[in-house]
Amino acid sequence: MSYPISLLITALLIYIVGAFVSLLSSRNEQLAINISGVTGIIGGALGIIACAPVLMSSNAVIDVFQTPFEFARFSIRIDGLAAFMVCVISLLVVVSALYSFSYVQEYKGKGAGYMGFFMNLFIASMIALVVCDNAFYFLVFFEMMSLASYFLVLTEQDDDAVNAGLLYFFIAHAGSVLIMIAFFIFYTESGSFEFEAFRQTKLSQPLAFTVFMLAFLGFGAKAGMIPLHGWLPKAHPAAPSHASALMSGVMVKIGIFGIIKVGIDLLGADNLWFGVIVLGFGAVSSVLGVLYALAEHDIKKLLAYHTVENVGIIMMGVGVGMIGIALKQPVLAVVGLLGGLYHLLNHAVFKGLLFLGAGSVMYRLHTKDMDLMGGLGKLMPYTAFCFLIGTMAISALPPFNGFVSEWFTYQSLFSLSLEQNIVLKLAGPIAIVMLALTGALAALCFVKVYGISFGGMPRSEKAAQAREVPKPMVVSMALLALCCLLLGLGASVVTPIIARIATALSALPAFPLAENSIVVSSPQPYTALSTPMLTIMLIAFFLLPFAYYALTGKGRLADRPKGNPWACGYAYEADMAASAGSFTRPLRMMFKPLYTLRRTLDPAPLGQKGIDAVIRASGKLEPVWEEKLTMPIAHVIPKLAAKLQWLQSGDFRVYCVYFVLALVVLLFTTALV
């Protein structure tokens, strides 16, 4: 067994041990919290250590273990993509585990031990899923992941959590069925459940397209793409915030991983329409996701809709990459996949940071309503600063990480626009416009979020009494905020690593994309980006006004007196401040048809109608069943028992006769046979 695989199996065993120890310690909830947090940190660290060498070299490590099932060997394959996914998951696991030491104190008395059990199983199933190389075990771990996350959604055990969990359960398992059918088609053609056999099997074009669409819809439901997103803005806010960070930051990426796995790794992405479909769904998801986020007052629900938006951006990059593979165009293939995978990593970091920041606010205020916040920038300065970095990163502002990955995605779309195919020539500019609109609306949305939540005056008594969260929570947010900065400034270091994964997936010639502190989007002639230089220019831009003021400030009037804002002669009232609803009301009026479409696409009302219909039908069927079948049987049995009671005389000699008769009948029957 190779070193990376043995270390990764050790990490998986640590998660499993942590899960069951947390469960057994459920009566001592503080011990369960500590055990779950420690195993998360150790397991996450081992996962990064195990996969970092593979990530740096992109040389696949493979091992096969025999199992009791002859049809399914347990095959482990850690290639560049799997190592990348393990590192992304493990990074967020370490930070979330550290955060949980203080945050989960709020859940004492609500089953903190059970939470640790499901959290560790959830993490272990995700790690095992991305490295297994067998369809049977892939589906097993996919189900484990869905079930563990389902129970995390139910943590609060209120009506909203139960309804959200039920919707998530149905959509997740509907997606699982589609994926299962796709793998079964592969199995019938290859005669094996091994992914290696799938890779060697050449499907006909109609069959390959069918397999891709089944897998795309199944994994797309897990990713939360529109129109299969209805569960996401309900389930993610219902879960505890450190679980929401993992669900939104990495679990939805399993859907992206699955699309890449089936579309590129197993099918070879040799059909141009694979990429066009992924690109189209991604563009629509990005725009509608951010529009729906703008209308929200619930801070966690708003962040969940931004997951839909960012999944769309990732899909745009992956779609361009798949188009490049089909056309044998290295620039399109590598830069598109680079943009998608880079944004996958970046989104995990800044969305994890934002969910942890939202959890910190809820930890003090016990509300998700932004209209009951306000003024938290002064009362919770560390949380406010880290959250601000997260908002700038998700808004793709330089020099943070979101800017770099979206820059690569833009460059891939510009290259797509130069293709001669009329479909691609139209798709490129349309996608560019939709990505630009997404970026602008995302920036507007997070101006609202930060301004309403952390700026102004407190809008509730709890907001006025808020104070900073405990140190483990602050350190966790600070680590992710630092990652947002480093992944932006260190783009020239990160880009070659992810580019090697993209090159290996595309099986096309490699070309350099980074040199010194500069990243490029194509061979000569190229567009270049230097995030360190951009950072220096931005700092200079902000310092110049202060320098000018320092040099010319003598003789100026003293600062104006501070007090309540001027309100046209009226006494200032808190209600005069902008609210989460009033801030975006013009946009909600402008895009009213699209908000109507959200209600139309939401499967929850239709599912609820189906459940209500089943309940009504059951209510009508139950009396009929009882009157026509159950009660007649209930009346006959006592009568029959009374008639047979004469056999029970109480005489021991009679019972001996029964035994003799039974033996005679048995011997007679045996003789006849």
Side-chain angles (χ1 to χ4, degrees):
M1 187 187 304
S2 63
Y3 174 75
I5 290 179
S6 62
L7 204 58
L8 192 64
I9 290 176
T10 304
L12 290 173
L13 290 175
I14 288 173
Y15 288 130
I16 293 170
V17 170
F20 284 99
V21 173
S22 296
L23 183 62
L24 294 173
S25 307
S26 56
R27 291 189 177 182
N28 186 345
E29 292 191 311
Q30 185 58 55
L31 177 61
I33 292 169
N34 293 339
I35 290 293
S36 179
V38 169
T39 54
I41 292 173
I42 296 174
L46 287 178
I48 294 172
I49 295 170
C51 292
V54 179
L55 186 62
M56 299 302 293
S57 65
S58 290
N59 295 324
V61 179
I62 303 170
D63 213 335
V64 180
F65 302 89
Q66 296 298 327
T67 68
F69 307 108
E70 294 182 3
F71 62 90
R73 299 176 301 170
F74 187 60
S75 303
I76 294 179
R77 176 189 173 95
I78 308 179
D79 53 17
L81 179 62
F84 176 73
M85 291 298 298
V86 171
C87 287
V88 173
I89 295 168
S90 299
L91 171 63
L92 215 55
V93 165
V94 170
V95 176
S96 298
L98 177 60
Y99 186 87
S100 70
F101 284 117
S102 296
Y103 176 76
V104 182
Q105 302 294 330
E106 289 283 293
Y107 288 87
K108 282 186 175 180
K110 298 181 181 179
Y114 298 104
M115 185 191 299
F117 172 74
F118 289 117
M119 179 67 79
N120 277 279
L121 282 187
F122 174 53
I123 297 165
S125 59
M126 285 194 292
I127 296 289
L129 184 151
V130 298
V131 299
C132 77
D133 206 43
N134 181 284
F136 173 77
Y137 290 106
F138 187 99
L139 290 169
V140 169
F141 293 132
F142 195 87
E143 281 298 307
M144 283 179 58
M145 176 186 69
S146 297
L147 286 172
S149 54
Y150 164 72
F151 285 108
L152 289 172
V153 170
L154 296 181
T155 299
E156 293 289 350
Q157 300 179 20
D158 55 18
D159 290 342
D160 290 339
V162 171
N163 291 333
L166 190 62
L167 179 62
Y168 169 55
F169 184 86
F170 284 145
I171 294 181
H173 285 80
S176 298
V177 170
L178 296 179
I179 298 166
M180 195 180 302
I181 296 171
F183 285 167
F184 183 75
I185 293 173
F186 256 126
Y187 169 75
T188 56
E189 295 294 313
S190 65
S192 172
F193 283 110
E194 293 290 317
F195 282 154
E196 187 57 39
F198 290 3
R199 295 183 187 97
Q200 303 301 324
T201 302
K202 184 68 175 177
L203 302 180
S204 63
Q205 282 298 324
L207 201 56
F209 188 80
T210 302
V211 168
F212 174 75
M213 287 306 301
L214 287 168
F216 174 69
L217 293 174
F219 286 116
K222 178 62 68 177
M225 72 177 187
I226 286 177
L228 306 175
H229 68 293
W231 64 272
L232 196 151
K234 294 180 173 63
H236 287 199
S241 290
H242 68 307
S244 296
L246 286 172
M247 291 176 67
S248 189
V250 291
M251 187 189 74
V252 296
K253 309 306 179 4
I254 299 296
I256 301 296
F257 171 81
I259 292 171
I260 295 173
K261 188 78 174 176
V262 174
I264 299 177
D265 186 26
L266 303 183
L267 291 174
D270 56 358
N271 189 322
L272 178 66
W273 287 100
F274 291 179
V276 173
I277 290 169
V278 175
L279 174 62
F281 274 87
V284 172
S285 295
S286 65
V287 174
L288 292 184
V290 71
L291 272 175
Y292 296 159
L294 274 164
E296 291 300 329
H297 298 202
D298 182 318
I299 189 168
K300 287 186 71 176
K301 197 169 184 179
L302 179 145
L303 293 176
Y305 272 120
H306 274 287
T307 297
V308 177
E309 170 220 338
N310 282 277
V311 162
I313 295 173
I314 295 168
M315 289 175 62
M316 290 171 77
V318 172
V320 174
M322 295 175 75
I323 291 170
I325 294 172
L327 296 177
K328 308 297 181 186
Q329 293 279 6
V331 173
L332 278 180
V334 174
V335 177
L337 287 173
L338 169 62
L341 292 175
Y342 206 148
H343 202 71
L344 186 153
L345 167 62
N346 290 339
H347 177 254
V349 172
F350 60 63
K351 183 53 66 66
L353 170 58
L354 291 170
F355 264 113
L356 296 186
S360 296
V361 172
M362 292 167 55
Y363 182 83
R364 289 305 187 202
L365 274 63
H366 298 96
T367 181
K368 294 181 282 187
D369 189 347
M370 289 186 289
D371 285 336
L372 298 177
M373 299 177 188
L376 300 178
K378 292 181 179 179
L379 302 172
M380 303 174 67
Y382 300 124
T383 298
F385 180 72
C386 293
F387 197 91
L388 178 62
I389 291 177
T391 62
M392 290 192 288
I394 197 173
S395 301
L397 297 179
F400 297 102
N401 54 349
F403 170 76
V404 179
S405 52
E406 289 199 28
W407 182 84
F408 277 117
T409 305
Y410 272 116
Q411 297 303 319
S412 68
L413 292 171
F414 288 138
S415 299
L416 183 68
S417 304
L418 301 177
E419 291 296 320
Q420 296 304 311
N421 186 306
I422 186 63
V423 174
L424 304 182
K425 193 177 283 290
L426 290 173
I430 292 172
I432 290 169
V433 171
M434 295 181 80
L435 183 56
L437 179 61
T438 299
L441 293 176
L444 175 63
C445 187
F446 281 98
V447 167
K448 177 190 88 168
V449 174
Y450 193 83
I452 299 297
S453 302
F454 293 93
M457 300 294 291
R459 293 181 173 82
S460 66
E461 184 178 348
K462 288 185 177 180
Q465 296 173 354
R467 63 186 189 280
E468 192 55 82
V469 293
K471 287 183 180 179
M473 299 170 69
V474 172
V475 172
S476 302
M477 292 184 288
L479 287 173
L480 289 179
L482 181 62
C483 288
C484 288
L485 182 61
L486 293 179
L487 288 171
L489 290 176
S492 59
V493 177
V494 179
T495 296
I497 298 172
I498 302 179
R500 280 196 292 270
I501 301 171
T503 302
L505 284 169
S506 65
L508 293 172
F511 57 92
L513 285 168
E515 184 178 353
N516 297 326
S517 63
I518 297 174
V519 294
V520 299
S521 60
S522 64
Q524 294 283 357
Y526 56 75
T527 304
L529 170 68
S530 173
T531 46
M533 180 59 67
L534 188 59
T535 304
I536 293 171
M537 294 173 64
L538 286 170
I539 292 173
F541 175 78
F542 284 109
L543 288 180
L544 280 175
F546 293 102
Y548 176 78
Y549 181 82
L551 293 173
T552 62
K554 293 181 179 179
R556 290 180 179 271
L557 293 174
D559 289 341
R560 288 176 294 177
K562 297 178 180 179
N564 287 334
W566 182 65
C568 303
Y570 293 93
Y572 175 75
E573 297 178 6
D575 291 341
M576 294 178 178
S579 66
S582 65
F583 191 90
T584 56
R585 186 172 298 165
L587 276 174
R588 286 186 282 122
M589 293 297 295
M590 185 184 304
F591 294 104
K592 188 176 180 180
L594 294 179
Y595 286 106
T596 304
L597 182 64
R598 173 171 62 169
R599 292 192 295 272
T600 305
L601 294 175
D602 188 357
L606 183 61
Q608 190 61 48
K609 287 181 181 178
I611 293 171
D612 292 341
V614 171
I615 293 172
R616 286 195 300 270
S618 301
K620 293 178 181 178
L621 181 62
E622 185 177 3
V624 175
W625 182 275
E626 185 175 352
E627 292 173 6
K628 301 296 183 183
L629 184 64
T630 306
M631 293 307 296
I633 292 174
H635 288 128
V636 168
I637 288 175
K639 294 178 180 178
L640 183 62
K643 291 183 178 298
L644 294 176
Q645 193 171 6
W646 64 270
L647 293 171
Q648 188 177 355
S649 64
D651 191 332
F652 178 74
R653 291 169 298 178
V654 174
Y655 296 151
C656 289
V657 172
Y658 292 162
F659 280 118
V660 172
L661 291 174
L663 287 172
V664 170
V665 172
L666 181 62
L667 290 171
F668 183 73
T669 305
T670 306
L672 289 177
V673 174

